[in-house]
Amino acid sequence: MPVATATPNHAAPHAAAVDAVPASANHANVERKEETGSKVASSGCLYALGVALLLAACCAMSVGFSLYNKYLFSGPIKAPIFITATHRMFAFVGAFLAWQLSPASFYTRTKVDKPEMWQKIMLIPVGFVMNIGMNNLSLQFTTLALNQLIRSFSPVSIALTSFLIEGKTQSWAKSITLGALVGGVVMGVFSSPDFEMLGFLICAGSVLGQSLSIVMTALVMGGTSVKLHVFDVLLYTSLPTLLILLPWSYALGEFEVLENAFIEHGFETTMGLIIAGGTLAFTYNLASICFIRLTSSVYFGVTGGFRCALAIAASFYFFPQKIGFLSIAGTVIAISAFIVNSFFTMKEKLESMDASKKITSIKQVEKQIEDEEEGRSLLKGRN
């Protein structure tokens, strides 16, 4: 009876070795994926933390800047137009330093060599004077709470101006929020014990100036291929703005007010107040730019309602102001409507951006198909 002998399987160890390589490779790949995932998660957390910190900084500086201006124009230096000019000068110096010292990845100056572009850019100083100049002037005659509440009327003013100039209409959802905003502002402003007609008219003029500058600039700049950075705007428009602000300040007698401030408070204190205001103006612009670079100008616009609400709340803590029940109710309605309107505006802009991206991608595909067809026809012609 034959004895069965076991033949040694020399292929088995080799096969096991072959199978062992993919197993170790898969394990390494899994480790790499886990490591990559953890890095992505940590970078996402850092990004979210950075955005949150910048948002908090923007809100804090916006509220602090408003409080500081109200304090300055109501007491130590009652020269809002001259101080606005110094803010613009500080912004110009900061933008110039950014141009000279910052890396190209952060800012590169956009060259403007066409006369028609310069004509369009020169609209910005006029809008700035009407908007910021009149707003700062109004702080000398009205409370900060009423100033912010009147300024929250800007979406309504922009909607009306764009309709009259461009024929642009609003969606039903935005129209409802605009109606609520009108009711809230009217209720909050005219029922306030601190209401003053002069301050109201100047602040309302600044809102109208803001709306006209935004709509007219968008209308005139429409279709242009030149995209200006915020620092470009500061570099190109700050000095022309001073040519408007300084004569206006002189006509209002602010140079004498400034001279009296130097005599009463001393040179060092007065210059310190001016430098502090200019530094606040530039650092707020810088924080806003960084936030927009990390997110988008669309998201920055949504924060306007929250910044306005914080400024109104803080104003009652720092300044003696009066308020009644109807004024509180109107303020709450107005700010809530402002925030909801900002979200609807953000939604519309994001949808518009997505639609433009889709159109661009479709055009790219069509161009690629045309190029391929042209290539095939050339090959056929050669054959």
Side-chain angles (χ1 to χ4, degrees):
M1 184 176 183
V3 178
T5 58
T7 305
N9 189 356
H10 299 289
H14 178 69
V18 171
D19 291 338
V21 173
S24 60
N26 288 336
H27 181 69
N29 289 335
V30 169
E31 288 183 347
R32 288 195 198 98
K33 288 180 180 179
E34 289 178 352
E35 184 179 355
T36 304
S38 62
K39 287 182 179 179
V40 170
S42 61
S43 63
C45 292
L46 289 175
Y47 171 80
L49 179 61
V51 170
L53 290 175
L54 272 176
L55 177 59
C58 287
C59 291
M61 281 189 278
S62 175
V63 174
F65 195 29
S66 298
L67 294 171
Y68 184 81
N69 283 341
K70 176 59 180 174
Y71 157 74
L72 201 63
F73 304 151
S74 300
I77 308 177
K78 296 181 179 179
I81 303 302
F82 180 83
I83 296 299
T84 304
T86 63
H87 292 172
R88 206 61 175 174
M89 178 57 71
F90 270 79
F92 173 78
V93 172
F96 182 82
L97 292 176
W99 172 33
Q100 295 296 320
L101 303 177
S102 66
S105 58
F106 181 76
Y107 170 63
T108 302
R109 184 177 67 88
T110 304
K111 294 182 179 180
V112 179
D113 49 10
K114 295 181 180 179
E116 56 270 21
M117 263 310 290
W118 278 110
Q119 294 174 3
K120 295 173 181 179
I121 290 173
M122 286 304 105
L123 286 173
I124 298 174
V126 178
F128 177 86
V129 170
M130 294 177 66
N131 177 18
I132 305 300
M134 293 186 71
N135 176 64
N136 287 343
L137 182 61
S138 72
L139 287 173
Q140 195 173 354
F141 303 100
T142 188
T143 64
L144 180 57
L146 283 181
N147 169 274
Q148 293 294 307
L149 185 57
I150 297 168
R151 294 281 294 179
S152 70
F153 193 77
S154 59
V156 179
S157 181
I158 292 170
L160 291 174
T161 307
S162 62
F163 174 75
L164 294 174
I165 295 176
E166 299 178 282
K168 183 179 179 180
T169 58
Q170 305 294 321
S171 64
W172 279 106
K174 289 186 68 175
S175 298
I176 292 172
T177 61
L178 292 175
L181 183 55
V182 171
V185 170
V186 169
M187 184 188 303
V189 171
F190 290 100
S191 65
S192 172
D194 292 327
F195 175 77
E196 292 183 11
M197 182 57 70
L198 180 59
F200 167 76
L201 291 176
I202 296 174
C203 191
S206 75
V207 174
L208 178 60
Q210 179 191 29
S211 305
L212 287 172
S213 64
I214 290 174
V215 175
M216 289 303 296
T217 302
L219 184 65
V220 175
M221 297 287 284
T224 181
S225 58
V226 179
K227 301 297 183 183
L228 295 180
H229 191 278
V230 176
F231 284 150
D232 292 326
V233 175
L234 294 177
L235 281 173
Y236 295 143
T237 65
S238 293
L239 297 182
T241 302
L242 295 179
L243 295 177
I244 304 174
L245 289 173
L246 291 178
W248 185 14
S249 173
Y250 179 80
L252 291 175
E254 290 187 350
F255 283 25
E256 295 179 4
V257 173
L258 187 65
E259 183 180 357
N260 293 331
F262 277 112
I263 295 172
E264 182 179 354
H265 304 292
F267 179 82
E268 293 182 357
T269 301
T270 305
M271 282 303 299
L273 291 171
I274 294 173
I275 292 172
T279 305
L280 269 174
F282 178 71
T283 52
Y284 174 61
N285 280 330
L286 186 62
S288 303
I289 291 168
C290 293
F291 181 81
I292 291 170
R293 284 177 68 87
L294 277 179
T295 58
S296 167
S297 59
V298 176
Y299 296 108
F300 184 75
V302 177
T303 67
F306 297 103
R307 286 182 277 128
C308 182
L310 287 172
I312 291 175
S315 67
F316 284 96
Y317 179 79
F318 287 98
F319 303 108
Q321 299 177 145
K322 301 174 184 177
I323 193 169
F325 174 76
L326 286 178
S327 186
I328 294 174
T331 302
V332 171
I333 292 171
I335 296 301
S336 300
F338 186 98
I339 293 172
V340 175
N341 180 269
S342 299
F343 276 107
F344 282 132
T345 302
M346 179 188 70
K347 184 180 178 182
E348 287 181 358
K349 288 184 178 180
L350 290 176
E351 289 175 352
S352 176
M353 290 167 61
D354 290 339
S356 63
K357 287 180 181 178
K358 290 178 181 178
I359 292 172
T360 303
S361 61
I362 290 171
K363 288 182 178 179
Q364 289 175 347
V365 172
E366 290 176 348
K367 182 68 169 59
Q368 184 178 357
I369 293 172
E370 290 177 1
D371 292 341
E372 290 177 355
E373 290 179 351
E374 185 178 353
R376 291 193 193 100
S377 63
L378 288 173
L379 288 173
K380 287 180 180 179
R382 289 175 183 177
N383 293 333

